[in-house]
């Protein structure tokens, strides 16, 4: 039997009354905990600020070592590092990168306007064959970094991929939007290394037989003539393949000027091929007319082509193996003394060192 009046008549049913009493006690418990809350340890003001702050001690959102350096490693390091850096541009060189940036002004920073966001496919970096252009999020990060002053601390580095970061492979990919002719153009470019030695050998052998023909006249015309015709035609094909391969491998610095190693190699090879075609036409006319004067012109020109072939091959070797590749051969044979290195090779090495 209960004593005293029931607070509310509808709570006389015992399950409802029990629930009400439990809620009443719970409310008192919550109030008690709130009153005692000051006795529990609270996070320090500094810890709270560190947890919620989006900027560093300088008020900058972007941290170079944390945010920008890994991006440069993933997107740029494969092609722009070491002795074989494309266009001689080292993304690991602080001064080289900042030389293309105007701090706090992304619109005047050629790195951003002329390469990262350009609509010119020949200048865009990374090129489309290397997963370019950058996605909007990464472009926004670079832009904000520039606008905040492009801070690159002296102790910050773009680490080698093998040391800290797994680099996303940047091999060429074929987009579904690429046309069939574009895919065929890329496809044939891959065979440049396999076929480029064909015109090199023919033009070299042709020049050799011009010299041999001075002693044995019977072999001094027909063999050089055949080598010139076939070698010049093969040189044109090799140039087309090389141009395509340059696109695929990211050598899209057509407007970088003659001083860029890739352009020196590209245009000297084109000059070689065009000169070979011109000499072939002269040779055909000279052989048909049996003109001694025309014969002298095309044979002398063939000797010059054989010499130029060596120069173009030298450039290709440096692009593949690095600028110090040939000097190392002389160092291996004669020792590291600079006096033992031929002047032309020494000049090439000095230029490479200056660019670094």
């Amino acid at each position: 039997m209960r004593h005293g009046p029931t607070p509310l008549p509808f709570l006389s049913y015992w399950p409802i009354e029990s629930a009400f009493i439990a809620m009443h006690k719970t409310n008192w418990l919550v109030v008690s905990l709130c009153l005692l809350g000051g006795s529990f340890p609270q996070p320090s003001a500094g810890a709270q600020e560190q947890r919620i702050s989006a900027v560093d001690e300088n008020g900058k959102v972007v941290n170079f070592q944390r945010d920008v350096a890994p991006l440069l490693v993933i997107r740029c390091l494969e092609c722009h590092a070491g002795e074989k850096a494309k266009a001689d541009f080292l993304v690991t060189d602080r001064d080289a990168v900042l030389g293309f940036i105007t701090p706090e002004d992304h619109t005047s920073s050629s790195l951003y306007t002329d390469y990262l966001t350009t609509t010119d496919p020949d200048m865009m970096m990374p090129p489309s064959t290397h997963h370019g252009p950058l996605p909007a999020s990464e472009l926004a990060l670079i832009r904000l970094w520039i606008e905040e002053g492009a801070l690159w601390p002296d102790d910050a580095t773009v680490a080698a991929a093998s040391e800290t970061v797994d680099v996303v492979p940047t091999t060429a990919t074929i987009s579904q939007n690429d046309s069939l002719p574009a895919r065929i153009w890329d496809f044939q470019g891959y065979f440049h290394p396999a076929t480029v030695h064909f015109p090199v050998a023919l033009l070299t052998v042709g020049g050799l037989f011009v010299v041999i023909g001075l002693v044995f006249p019977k072999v001094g015309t027909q063999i050089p003539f055949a080598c010139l015709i076939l070698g010049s035609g093969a040189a044109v094909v090799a140039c087309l393949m090389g141009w395509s391969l340059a696109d695929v491998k990211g050598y899209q610095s057509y407007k970088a000027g003659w001083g860029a190693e890739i352009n020196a190699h590209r245009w000297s090879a084109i000059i070689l091929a065009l000169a070979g075609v011109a000499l072939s036409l002269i040779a055909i006319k000279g052989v048909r007319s049996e003109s001694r004067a025309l014969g002298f012109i095309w044979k002398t020109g063939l000797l010059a082509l054989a010499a130029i072939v060596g120069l173009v091959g030298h450039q290709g070797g440096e692009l593949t193996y690095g600028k110090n590749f040939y000097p190392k051969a002389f160092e291996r044979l004669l020792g590291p003394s600079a006096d033992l290195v031929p002047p032309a090779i020494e000049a090439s090495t000095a230029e490479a060192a200056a660019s670094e």
Side-chain angles (χ1 to χ4, degrees):
M1 176 180 293
R2 290 188 179 88
H3 300 280
T6 302
L8 295 174
F10 61 83
L11 291 180
S12 58
Y13 184 58
W14 71 266
I16 297 178
E17 183 179 7
S18 299
F20 177 80
I21 294 173
M23 291 173 58
H24 184 69
K25 293 180 178 180
T26 302
N27 289 338
W28 276 106
L29 177 61
V30 171
V31 171
S32 300
L33 289 176
C34 291
L35 292 175
L36 295 175
S39 62
F40 289 94
Q42 299 293 324
S44 64
Q48 289 181 335
E49 181 180 357
Q50 182 178 8
R51 184 173 64 248
I52 65 176
S53 177
V55 299
D56 61 14
E57 63 275 9
N58 298 318
K60 308 297 183 182
V61 174
V62 180
N63 177 280
F64 177 83
Q65 191 69 74
R66 180 194 65 204
D67 304 318
V68 179
L71 176 60
L72 296 179
V73 169
I74 294 173
R75 298 296 189 182
C76 311
L77 195 64
E78 182 184 14
C79 297
H80 294 286
E83 295 181 350
K84 296 185 287 184
K86 292 179 172 59
D88 298 330
F89 178 72
L90 295 172
V91 74
T92 56
D93 187 333
R94 177 178 181 269
D95 294 335
V97 176
L98 295 182
F100 289 85
I101 293 175
T102 301
E104 300 182 356
D105 188 359
H106 74 277
T107 61
S108 299
S109 300
S110 60
L111 177 68
Y112 188 83
T113 59
D114 296 341
Y115 295 98
L116 298 182
T117 59
T118 181
T119 57
D120 184 349
D122 295 340
M123 298 293 289
M124 183 177 65
M125 290 292 143
S128 59
T129 54
H130 282 57
H131 306 285
L134 294 180
S137 58
E138 295 178 3
L139 287 174
L141 175 63
I142 295 295
R143 176 172 173 171
L144 180 57
W145 175 61
I146 294 174
E147 290 296 332
E148 288 189 331
L151 298 181
W152 184 327
D154 293 336
D155 59 346
T157 58
V158 179
S162 59
E163 296 177 2
T164 57
V165 182
D166 293 330
V167 177
V168 177
T170 56
T171 53
T173 56
I174 298 298
S175 170
Q176 295 296 325
N177 297 325
D178 289 338
S179 64
L180 179 60
R183 284 180 283 162
I184 293 175
W185 171 253
D186 291 342
F187 169 78
Q188 59 91 33
Y190 280 93
F191 295 93
H192 175 74
T195 59
V196 70
H197 299 93
F198 188 63
V200 170
L202 285 171
L203 295 175
T204 303
V205 170
L208 175 63
F209 270 91
V210 168
V211 177
I212 294 175
L214 298 176
V215 180
F216 303 100
K218 290 185 178 180
V219 299
T221 297
Q222 295 300 327
I223 294 178
F225 176 78
C227 288
L228 174 61
I229 300 298
L230 295 176
S232 298
V236 172
V237 175
C239 284
L240 294 175
M241 290 180 172
W243 197 288
S244 171
L245 184 63
D247 291 349
V248 171
K249 299 300 291 183
Y251 288 111
Q252 295 178 303
S253 55
Y254 307 145
K255 302 176 182 179
W258 181 266
E261 183 110 22
I262 178 60
N263 281 346
H265 179 65
R266 172 183 288 123
W267 292 112
S268 59
I270 291 175
I271 291 172
L272 170 69
L274 294 178
V277 172
L279 288 173
S280 297
L281 297 176
I282 295 174
I284 292 173
K285 185 175 181 179
V287 170
R288 286 179 176 177
S289 63
E290 298 183 356
S291 170
R292 296 176 62 88
L294 293 179
F296 176 80
I297 292 174
W298 72 260
K299 289 180 182 180
T300 303
L302 180 55
L303 287 173
L305 290 183
I308 297 175
V309 158
L311 173 62
V312 176
H314 172 84
Q315 294 168 337
E318 289 187 338
L319 284 171
T320 304
Y321 303 109
K323 286 190 173 183
N324 293 325
F325 179 70
Y326 292 104
K328 288 178 182 177
F330 289 93
E331 290 179 2
R332 174 63 176 165
L333 177 65
L334 304 174
S337 174
D339 296 336
L340 300 179
V341 181
I345 301 297
E346 183 178 7
S348 176
T349 306
E351 180 183 353
S355 64
E356 295 176 358

